[in-house]
Amino acid sequence: MATAVDSSEKRSSVSGSESNVKRKVKYSEDRLNILAQFKKTPPGFLEDRRSVYWVDKVPPSAPTVFALTKRQQELVKSKEYHPDFKPDRPSSIWKVSSGALSRNPTPRLNELSQSKPFHPNWVAMKSAYSIVPYGALHNKPSERLNTLSQAKEYKPLPIRSDSQWDWGEWVSTIPPAAKTHIASARLEQLAESKPSPNSYMGNRSVIWPVAPNVMQVQATTRVQQLARPKTRQALDQDYDPYRVSFAARMAVPSPRVVDLALPIPRKVRPKKV
């Protein structure tokens, strides 16, 4: 009997859990369908409303009435024009009265109406197209003017006639007597170039022959040792450049080194206590 009751309880609990799961799934589906719908427009909504303060109907209560003092009412008003103020003429053309047309001006008014004259020494700008007077056109120039009006003549360049390409080959202007002159012994001595010193050695050529003995020589052990590149094993094995060797620690300086290591007496200041 106990086993039958237990089995029936298990079946009822399983069926109840299944029904709860189905109910939750259905509720979630219904909730998703509700959330998936677009938001509905309220009944009194109006598109493109001019202002949030604009209403469709007259408000039930009267609008707010602001109480202003007399001074505030005066300040609110726009500034009035001056009693003697005259505005600008509406147009540059206006009607002239008959009295003004038939009036005779005074001598002072006639004087003021005249245009301002130019300065006595004022000269107008000359036109770009100058006019040659008749006398200048028929005048005969002098001999000096004819000489100055002629173009300048240049002498031909003293270039050799047999030159084909170099225009700078000038004809020698040395007189024949200077060419056949015999220089003195002192002049020939001064004309000689300064010799180089005996110890002077010119620049060595980049390519030079190597002697056969040098090519067949065998380097010594010391030369081979110096020819090898410097190894950097110390840097690869955690090298410490600030480490002081044991021999340097045990070294005893000479009296001269001790003397040089001491500070200068004039720069030593006693410590204040």
Side-chain angles (χ1 to χ4, degrees):
M1 294 295 289
T3 56
V5 172
D6 295 338
S7 61
S8 61
E9 290 178 356
K10 290 180 180 179
R11 290 176 183 175
S12 61
S13 62
V14 169
S15 61
S17 61
E18 291 179 355
S19 61
N20 291 334
V21 170
K22 291 181 180 179
R23 193 180 299 106
K24 290 180 179 179
V25 170
K26 186 177 181 182
Y27 174 76
S28 62
E29 291 179 354
D30 296 343
R31 180 60 178 166
L32 288 174
N33 293 332
I34 294 172
L35 295 174
Q37 295 178 2
F38 60 90
K39 188 176 181 180
K40 296 182 180 180
T41 308
F45 176 76
L46 297 176
E47 294 184 359
D48 299 335
R49 180 172 289 184
R50 299 180 183 179
S51 174
V52 294
Y53 302 104
W54 179 70
V55 293
D56 298 335
K57 299 179 181 180
V58 179
S61 59
T64 304
V65 179
F66 298 97
L68 300 178
T69 61
K70 294 183 179 180
R71 179 59 179 166
Q72 290 177 347
Q73 292 179 359
E74 293 179 0
L75 295 175
V76 167
K77 295 179 181 179
S78 59
K79 187 176 181 180
E80 297 180 356
Y81 293 103
H82 194 271
D84 299 336
F85 172 75
K86 293 182 179 180
D88 297 335
R89 289 177 178 176
S91 174
S92 58
I93 302 174
W94 63 91
K95 186 177 180 181
V96 183
S97 61
S98 58
L101 291 173
S102 60
R103 184 178 176 81
N104 296 324
T106 60
R108 178 58 179 169
L109 188 61
N110 291 331
E111 183 181 356
L112 295 174
S113 64
Q114 294 179 2
S115 60
K116 187 177 180 180
F118 294 102
H119 194 271
N121 300 332
W122 179 80
V123 179
M125 296 179 61
K126 188 176 181 180
S127 175
Y129 303 96
S130 58
I131 300 174
V132 184
Y134 179 82
L137 290 173
H138 296 80
N139 189 17
K140 293 183 179 181
S142 60
E143 295 181 1
R144 178 58 180 170
L145 191 60
N146 290 330
T147 305
L148 295 174
S149 63
Q150 294 178 2
K152 189 175 180 180
E153 297 180 357
Y154 295 92
K155 296 182 180 180
L157 297 176
I159 302 176
R160 294 181 182 178
S161 59
D162 57 346
S163 178
Q164 299 294 333
W165 57 275
D166 192 358
W167 58 268
E169 294 181 356
W170 308 105
V171 178
S172 178
T173 57
I174 302 174
K179 296 180 180 179
T180 58
H181 183 72
I182 299 174
S184 60
R186 179 58 179 168
L187 189 60
E188 291 181 356
Q189 182 182 0
L190 294 174
E192 293 179 358
S193 59
K194 187 177 181 180
S196 303
N198 298 330
S199 59
Y200 170 76
M201 297 179 64
N203 295 331
R204 189 175 182 181
S205 176
V206 180
I207 302 174
W208 65 89
V210 183
N213 299 334
V214 178
M215 299 180 66
Q216 296 177 5
V217 74
Q218 294 183 0
T220 60
T221 307
R222 179 59 177 165
V223 173
Q224 294 179 6
Q225 183 181 0
L226 295 174
R228 293 175 184 174
K230 188 176 181 180
T231 58
R232 306 298 293 251
Q233 295 179 359
L235 296 178
D236 300 337
Q237 298 177 1
D238 298 335
Y239 173 73
D240 187 7
Y242 301 101
R243 185 176 62 85
V244 182
S245 61
F246 184 76
R249 297 177 191 174
M250 302 300 295
V252 179
S254 62
R256 178 58 178 166
V257 175
V258 175
D259 187 13
L260 294 174
L262 294 174
I264 302 174
R266 61 184 175 82
K267 291 188 178 182
V268 178
R269 296 180 180 178
K271 187 175 181 181
K272 297 181 179 179
V273 181

